[in-house]
Amino acid sequence: MLGLYDQQGLLRFSGRDLADCLAYAELFALAEGSFSLESLSQDSYADGPGAQPGVPS
């Protein structure tokens, strides 16, 4: 999952991949440089729902 954030740091869109986020930016005519993309996945929670980092399951 990727998140598209505006210049104020507000999450505007989350998508499965880069193509989804770029399609959103194009749809709303967001200028390049007016947004940033960041991963929303956290490897520390990869053990499933309710998993806590550092706590064995």
Side-chain angles (χ1 to χ4, degrees), residues 10-48:
L10 180 66
L11 177 64
R12 298 277 304 263
F13 178 79
S14 63
R16 294 172 292 180
D17 55 26
L18 179 62
D20 286 348
C21 291
L22 293 178
Y24 176 90
E26 183 178 350
L27 178 66
F28 288 97
L30 300 178
E32 191 172 324
S34 70
F35 61 89
S36 63
L37 301 171
E38 293 185 31
S39 174
L40 298 178
S41 300
Q42 294 182 352
D43 293 338
S44 60
Y45 294 102
D47 293 332

